[in-house]
Amino acid sequence: MANTGSSGIIEYNEQWIADSVAGGAAAGAGSAADGIAWLGSSDAGNTPFARAVAAGRGIHLAGALDATDDDMLALASDTLLFAGQEGYAMLEVLFQVSSIADLAINIGLNDEVLEATSNTLPVELATTVWTTSASTFLGLVYDVDATNDDVHCMWVDDDNDSAEALANLRMQGIAPVASKWCMARVEMQDRGSGNGVRGTFTFSCDGKTATKEFNTTVDRDCPLSAFIGFENRAATVHNVYIKYIKIAQSISD
């Protein structure tokens, strides 16, 4: 993508060689501190994200949802990192879940670190109806409560949900697969004063990949964090692993 007005793009790759995560207790959220770039949160009874090593996965983050309906497990950047007016921004996550039954996932850019005022994911999809607690969000959504439990693109701006037809937002036939590494990428490109950002959404898992692009309504001056969230839809245990997080961002002139 072109990056008019920028002098380059910097990348940050988090592969958990250093422990940069504050997972918090079994309930609540982690706290920022020196060396902490990521804050985790979880409901009581869950296992917050923490650095782990295992055969076949190497160094990674591991967390778990217990068998409690509506429980949530989340990870977010410790501050608001992105703004569309900087030119270009990207979040990429490689993750794996032990089961996709009874699960909802949000991966994207959110206007609040860890959705502190909400007990739900920023964006949820039940049958064909969106429910959003985020004021601004740009990302990928998977929700087994949807009529079509495929990955969907979605954005919210100033508490206004996208008016794009649901069929256009749907990545037909694309969904996470249990015990397979899945890659989610959300890119944001500035379109200039008076225009919402351009959003590029990519999801890849088990040999299937889809990419969709939209001119969104997300304000170019809204600060956003990286957000990765998982919510239980029934009494099902889910083990969740994050292999890496990659961030890219323009350097403005």
Side-chain angles (χ1 to χ4, degrees):
M1 286 187 175
N3 289 281
T4 304
S6 95
S7 56
I9 296 175
I10 57 172
E11 287 191 359
Y12 170 75
N13 294 285
E14 182 64 86
Q15 296 175 313
W16 322 117
I17 301 301
D19 193 353
S20 58
V21 180
S31 300
D34 289 345
I36 297 300
W38 303 96
L39 303 181
S41 69
S42 68
D43 290 313
N46 297 331
T47 303
F49 283 115
R51 192 170 62 150
V53 180
R57 286 190 292 271
I59 300 174
H60 62 285
L61 291 189
L65 290 165
D66 68 357
T68 305
D69 191 13
D70 293 330
D71 267 11
M72 191 167 75
L73 178 70
L75 187 75
S77 55
D78 69 325
T79 190
L80 302 175
L81 297 174
F82 306 104
Q85 64 190 4
E86 295 301 321
Y88 173 79
M90 181 272 288
L91 169 68
E92 181 177 303
V93 181
L94 188 68
F95 72 97
Q96 184 181 124
V97 292
S98 60
S99 170
I100 62 166
D102 308 317
L103 186 65
I105 303 170
N106 282 186
I107 297 177
L109 312 180
N110 190 43
D111 67 339
E112 186 177 2
V113 174
L114 288 176
E115 277 293 298
T117 60
S118 173
N119 294 320
T120 64
L121 289 170
V123 177
E124 299 180 329
L125 180 59
T127 60
T128 60
V129 178
W130 293 105
T131 300
T132 58
S133 57
S135 293
T136 302
F137 177 87
L138 180 76
L140 291 160
V141 177
Y142 171 79
D143 199 326
V144 297
D145 282 352
T147 300
N148 298 299
D149 55 355
D150 295 325
V151 173
H152 290 71
C153 313
M154 185 53 175
W155 62 91
V156 183
D157 177 66
D158 293 332
D159 296 310
N160 294 308
D161 296 352
S162 169
E164 188 73 33
L166 187 63
N168 295 336
L169 297 171
R170 177 188 174 195
M171 292 180 166
Q172 186 170 355
I174 301 296
V177 177
S179 301
K180 298 290 186 179
W181 289 113
C182 302
M183 186 276 291
R185 184 190 305 125
V186 178
E187 299 169 87
M188 179 171 61
Q189 180 77 42
D190 189 28
R191 295 194 301 127
S193 179
N195 297 307
V197 302
R198 178 77 170 170
T200 303
F201 308 83
T202 302
F203 194 90
S204 180
C205 192
D206 199 30
K208 295 181 179 180
T209 301
T211 297
K212 285 180 174 282
E213 295 191 47
F214 299 92
N215 289 336
T216 78
T217 55
V218 172
D219 291 334
R220 65 195 296 265
D221 60 350
C222 181
L224 301 168
S225 72
F227 181 87
I228 305 153
F230 303 83
E231 186 174 353
N232 217 338
R233 288 284 179 256
T236 302
V237 172
H238 297 88
N239 296 310
V240 185
Y241 311 105
I242 298 176
K243 182 63 176 177
Y244 72 72
I245 296 174
K246 179 186 293 185
I247 289 171
Q249 212 169 17
S250 294
I251 304 172
S252 298
D253 290 334

